[in-house]
Amino acid sequence: MGLYLIATQSMWLDPQLWVSVFKAMFGLGFVIFVHELGHFLVAKMCGVKCEKFYVGFDVPIKIGPLKLPAALFRKQWGETEYGIGIIPLGGYVKMLGQDDNPANAEAEAERIRVTGDDGEPGELDPRSFPAKTVVQRMAIIAAGVTFNLIFAVVFATVAYRMGVSYTPCVVGQAIPGDPAWVHGLKPGERIVQIGKQGEPNEHLRFTQDLRAHMYLLNDNQDVDLLVESVDGKSRRWVTINPNSRVMERTSHRTIGISIPQSLVLVGPDSMPFETANKLVGNDGDRVTAVVVGGQRHEVSSNAQLMGLLSEYDDKDVELEVERKLDDSTNSGVNHETVNVTAPPQPWRRFGMIMELGPIVAIQQGSLAEEAGFKEGDRIVSYNDQPVGDPISLADRIANLAGQEIVFKVQREGSSGEVALRVTPGVPEVPPLLISGRVSLESIGVACELPAKVAKVIPNTPADRAEIEAGDQVVSVQFLAGDGDATIERLLRKSGDMDQPTKLDGKAYHWGWVFSSIQELPETVRIRVEMQKNNGQMAQHDLESIAWAGEFNQDDPTFNPNHNVQATLLTEVNTAASWGEALSLGARETWEGVGQVIAVLKRIRQVGKNLGGPGSIVVAAVSEASQGWARLLVFLTLLSANLAVINMLPIPVLDGGHMMFLLYEGARGKPVNERIAFVLTMIGFVFILSLMLFVIGLDIRRYS
């Protein structure tokens, strides 16, 4: 869920933030300027009189007695007025005889007629836009998009010469039961090629390359991935069919891997609530080793760190970290090595033990596959012991590593229970619950975790609410404590916590609820809507309790990560020469255009994830805060967006004008004025409606 990444209110007092805001606004304004500069320069080359050149729209705004100026800046230079409009939603070049407002079309047409000797309007002013040939007008219209694409390449070229930081295409964790998990992808492995066309690339990016490729796939289409081992010594091809299980949340198919994390810790300063003191270490601490019982284990990846934390989940663990220092003495020492303690973190729970669902996936080449497990099997016992709590089942099976276990399963078509023998190994990775599956990594099976109650522990919140075995959780809503406005705002910003969320078993499931409550303050409760055994509906508000054996001494369970939170893994791609930088810049621009087209093709699925001006500004500020190179790459993508969107055949956009000009070139006469007026008004209403829609999404997203 990552609520620790949400900034606190004090961030607005940080001078660096305002530097980033200025850089972002300058960059956004420059992209608009470049587009209009293309129109302006080509119009001048064609002899067209340009009356205005504006970044932003100079529309007077009056709010009651308050009247705002139409322009923040304006200056007449020669025959052109240059300015910055009050409304920062675009820009325009006003050419003689050309006006995007259909209401002004008739007046503008009269204004460009040269008055003859008889006092009647005659020929078109030779410097007006309509007086130019179709080819010249098409060149003027296309120039804005052309300049955007040219400067997109320039932006990216400069960025890659400077060095662009990015999140690499490394496996954080494979989501249990999803395609990557089935194919055995391990934490720390790197995807170096997507598709068998092209060449391996060590710098593939998690979001811009892998996730963007998912948008381009057709339904049920396979994807070929070249995967490099953790040590970098071997590579293998895997062919994966991405699934659509979580499309409601992601709007695209996924192979089922999480974003990789680094060894740099997130500390209390980045937490927006007072329970942040539970976090281990300070912001920016970099873990170098884990010390347990006097033994020191060096770590070089987050996967190694999480593996060690999981192995010692019930013990105090010492993390050896490098901590940055303020070298005010100019001694040359910029860090110190310190040890911080990571105590055990009991799971926070409600007193409900859920059922263990059927097996949904079996890893290829796993012990479970060799033993004869099948999808659909229901594990009912192991060594004649009931499966008990699914949350702790993986730990209990892992504790029997090296011993033969007899699993008994219910199998469709079998009259009795089927016995399967397997000797589990030591699991390589800790279980991941946010997927909604119970993962028995030591044997290689993933089972569903349905939101159906199997047992209620006495004297727990669930027991006091009179929840019973067989009750089914239908929806969940997270509730802040009384008067806790900060937490309430954070829940609202998360988008799927401030209202009842139906547990569909795909994007939203009991694993999501369970994992989310571990990250939230202890004051947060859940409101569950439940379907009772008798079919009636009931609603309960439940608080969570720390679960470390108080209610079941034989089954204490702890959070395997000790509440250690890390930042996303980042690497830097720096071009060795300007030639290489130009190649990378052209690739970035081409891929940006492809991404925009892919999103437009899937607009019905991804519509709710669109961003308006607010989202663009927030993203630009975020990228600017990470340096000029990241901002320039963002401006590359924005320029590609602007180029593609502007060339859509919608009247009032450049593509709409081009459509009219193509008709005029083919027929030898302009589009009928009445038809052009109607089409332009339809286009205007469509664009206005789209703007209101995305602005509405922004308001909901950031309010």
Side-chain angles (χ1 to χ4, degrees):
M1 193 174 60
L3 286 175
Y4 59 85
L5 294 177
I6 300 176
T8 59
Q9 293 179 349
S10 61
M11 65 177 284
W12 297 106
L13 302 177
D14 184 0
Q16 290 299 320
L17 172 67
W18 292 104
V19 172
S20 299
V21 170
F22 174 79
K23 288 162 60 176
M25 298 307 294
F26 175 80
L28 295 175
F30 190 74
V31 170
I32 297 171
F33 168 79
V34 162
H35 181 87
E36 301 306 331
L37 181 65
H39 292 313
F40 179 79
L41 292 179
V42 177
K44 284 288 191 181
M45 290 172 58
C46 293
V48 176
K49 179 181 179 181
C50 296
E51 299 176 313
K52 284 187 174 184
F53 184 126
Y54 265 74
V55 174
F57 298 108
D58 55 331
V59 179
I61 299 177
K62 186 175 182 181
I63 307 174
L66 180 63
K67 185 176 182 181
L68 300 178
L72 301 175
F73 164 82
R74 68 176 67 192
K75 181 177 178 59
Q76 187 74 32
W77 187 13
E79 64 184 13
T80 306
E81 179 184 308
Y82 301 87
I84 301 175
I86 190 69
I87 301 178
L89 297 179
Y92 72 98
V93 172
K94 172 64 178 70
M95 294 176 281
L96 180 63
Q98 186 263 342
D99 198 312
D100 289 333
N101 186 349
N104 299 335
E106 187 175 344
E108 189 69 16
E110 292 181 3
R111 190 169 74 92
I112 62 174
R113 296 283 180 181
V114 177
T115 304
D117 295 337
D118 57 358
E120 295 295 326
E123 299 293 326
L124 293 175
D125 188 319
R127 296 198 62 204
S128 66
F129 179 74
K132 302 304 176 181
T133 66
V134 170
V135 173
Q136 287 176 314
R137 281 179 282 160
M138 291 177 70
I140 294 170
I141 295 300
V145 168
T146 303
F147 266 52
N148 274 136
L149 293 175
I150 292 172
F151 273 85
V153 175
V154 172
F155 292 151
T157 299
V158 174
Y160 278 108
R161 194 69 178 99
M162 295 170 65
V164 178
S165 62
Y166 65 100
T167 298
C169 206
V170 170
V171 179
Q173 273 194 310
I175 310 300
D178 278 4
W181 182 89
V182 171
H183 285 270
L185 269 66
K186 304 296 183 186
E189 291 188 320
R190 181 184 295 260
I191 297 170
V192 295
Q193 188 173 339
I194 304 172
K196 292 193 175 181
Q197 294 182 344
E199 298 292 333
N201 182 359
E202 293 283 345
H203 299 291
L204 288 182
R205 300 155 298 176
F206 197 96
T207 300
Q208 296 95 325
D209 294 315
L210 179 62
R211 191 171 288 173
H213 190 85
M214 296 299 107
Y215 276 104
L216 297 171
L217 291 177
N218 298 320
D219 291 342
N220 209 36
Q221 182 181 351
D222 291 341
V223 58
D224 294 310
L225 302 175
L226 182 59
V227 181
E228 185 176 84
S229 62
V230 176
D231 59 13
K233 294 181 179 179
S234 63
R235 293 176 176 177
R236 71 186 191 279
W237 280 102
V238 294
T239 300
I240 294 180
N241 187 270
N243 66 26
S244 56
R245 183 172 60 86
V246 294
M247 274 193 68
E248 180 180 340
R249 187 182 295 178
T250 64
S251 300
H252 60 83
R253 296 163 69 209
T254 63
I255 64 171
I257 61 174
S258 62
I259 298 179
Q261 293 183 314
S262 70
L263 290 170
V264 179
L265 300 182
V266 175
D269 291 345
S270 293
M271 289 293 285
F273 34 74
E274 60 184 13
T275 53
N277 57 11
K278 287 188 174 182
L279 286 182
V280 176
N282 294 342
D283 283 347
D285 285 352
R286 186 180 185 280
V287 181
T288 55
V290 173
V291 182
V292 184
Q295 281 192 308
R296 183 177 181 274
H297 308 270
E298 289 191 5
V299 293
S300 59
S301 70
N302 185 270
Q304 284 182 301
L305 171 62
M306 291 303 160
L308 286 166
L309 291 174
S310 177
E311 183 178 351
Y312 302 107
D313 63 350
D314 60 344
K315 294 180 174 60
D316 282 343
V317 174
E318 294 290 322
L319 299 184
E320 182 183 291
V321 303
E322 287 185 354
R323 179 168 294 170
K324 290 183 179 179
L325 295 175
D326 180 12
D327 186 19
S328 56
T329 62
N330 296 319
S331 63
V333 178
N334 57 13
H335 71 271
E336 63 177 345
T337 299
V338 298
N339 280 25
V340 295
T341 302
Q345 295 290 330
W347 289 123
R348 297 200 63 80
R349 309 183 68 173
F350 308 99
M352 296 180 289
I353 292 179
M354 298 303 186
E355 288 186 357
L356 179 67
I359 294 175
V360 294
I362 300 171
Q363 275 188 323
Q364 295 178 358
S366 66
L367 295 172
E369 187 178 57
E370 294 176 6
F373 283 84
K374 295 183 179 180
E375 291 185 18
D377 287 352
R378 283 182 175 268
I379 301 175
V380 295
S381 68
Y382 65 98
N383 289 347
D384 293 325
Q385 299 293 318
V387 294
D389 187 357
I391 299 297
S392 64
L393 181 59
D395 286 338
R396 285 179 276 130
I397 298 300
N399 290 336
L400 299 175
Q403 305 175 35
E404 184 180 72
I405 300 177
V406 179
F407 287 91
K408 290 183 179 178
V409 303
Q410 291 178 344
R411 177 170 295 172
E412 186 177 352
S414 298
S415 56
E417 295 176 349
V418 178
L420 301 170
R421 299 176 181 274
V422 61
T423 302
V426 177
E428 297 183 36
V429 295
L432 186 65
L433 292 168
I434 199 168
S435 69
R437 276 83 178 269
V438 172
S439 171
L440 306 184
E441 294 287 342
S442 55
I443 65 173
V445 301
C447 303
E448 283 287 4
L449 180 62
K452 189 173 184 178
V453 179
K455 181 180 178 181
V456 176
I457 302 298
N459 301 317
T460 60
D463 182 46
R464 291 190 286 272
E466 299 183 351
I467 294 173
E468 300 174 333
D471 291 352
Q472 176 85 33
V473 180
V474 177
S475 68
V476 171
Q477 180 179 1
F478 294 83
L479 305 172
D482 294 337
D484 201 339
T486 301
I487 303 303
E488 190 172 345
R489 283 197 300 271
L490 290 171
L491 295 177
R492 189 164 61 247
K493 283 183 179 180
S494 69
D496 47 13
M497 292 186 172
D498 64 331
Q499 55 190 343
T501 300
K502 184 178 180 180
L503 301 188
D504 57 7
K506 297 178 181 179
Y508 299 96
H509 39 70
W510 185 252
W512 169 72
V513 178
F514 184 88
S515 298
S516 298
I517 206 68
Q518 311 308 321
E519 294 188 18
L520 291 164
E522 297 175 7
T523 56
V524 173
R525 311 183 310 280
I526 62 170
R527 175 169 293 165
V528 293
E529 183 183 14
M530 308 198 73
Q531 184 173 6
K532 308 291 286 184
N533 281 317
N534 58 11
Q536 294 183 348
M537 303 302 294
Q539 191 177 86
H540 308 285
D541 288 358
L542 302 176
E543 63 181 356
S544 64
I545 54 176
W547 185 296
E550 294 92 337
F551 303 98
N552 187 355
Q553 295 295 333
D554 296 328
D555 189 21
T557 52
F558 296 88
N559 189 332
N561 68 10
H562 285 254
N563 211 26
V564 172
Q565 305 280 11
T567 61
L568 297 183
L569 178 65
T570 57
E571 296 178 354
V572 178
N573 186 2
T574 305
S577 65
W578 282 107
E580 182 183 350
L582 179 61
S583 176
L584 290 171
R587 186 202 72 173
E588 188 77 35
T589 302
W590 176 252
E591 290 176 351
V593 170
Q595 289 177 29
V596 180
I597 294 173
V599 169
L600 290 174
K601 288 180 178 178
R602 299 177 56 83
I603 192 68
R604 294 182 63 182
Q605 289 86 359
V606 304
K608 65 180 181 180
N609 295 323
L610 294 177
S615 294
I616 294 173
V617 171
V618 169
V621 172
S622 175
E623 295 300 303
S625 68
Q626 299 179 65
W628 278 107
R630 283 287 292 266
L631 177 60
L632 287 171
V633 171
F634 175 78
L635 296 181
T636 297
L637 179 59
L638 185 63
S639 296
N641 264 272
L642 192 59
V644 174
I645 298 299
N646 258 288
M647 286 309 291
L648 293 177
I650 300 173
V652 311
L653 296 181
D654 290 346
H657 292 304
M658 191 68 72
M659 180 177 63
F660 288 155
L661 289 171
L662 287 171
Y663 176 89
E664 183 178 342
R667 296 294 301 273
K669 61 180 181 180
V671 178
N672 179 277
E673 289 186 6
R674 181 174 296 179
I675 294 176
F677 176 83
V678 172
L679 291 176
T680 302
M681 288 303 299
I682 292 173
F684 176 77
V685 171
F686 174 79
I687 295 298
L688 180 61
S689 300
L690 180 61
M691 286 296 297
L692 292 175
F693 173 71
V694 295
I695 290 173
L697 291 177
D698 282 350
I699 292 173
R700 173 174 171 76
R701 194 172 289 134
Y702 300 112
S703 61

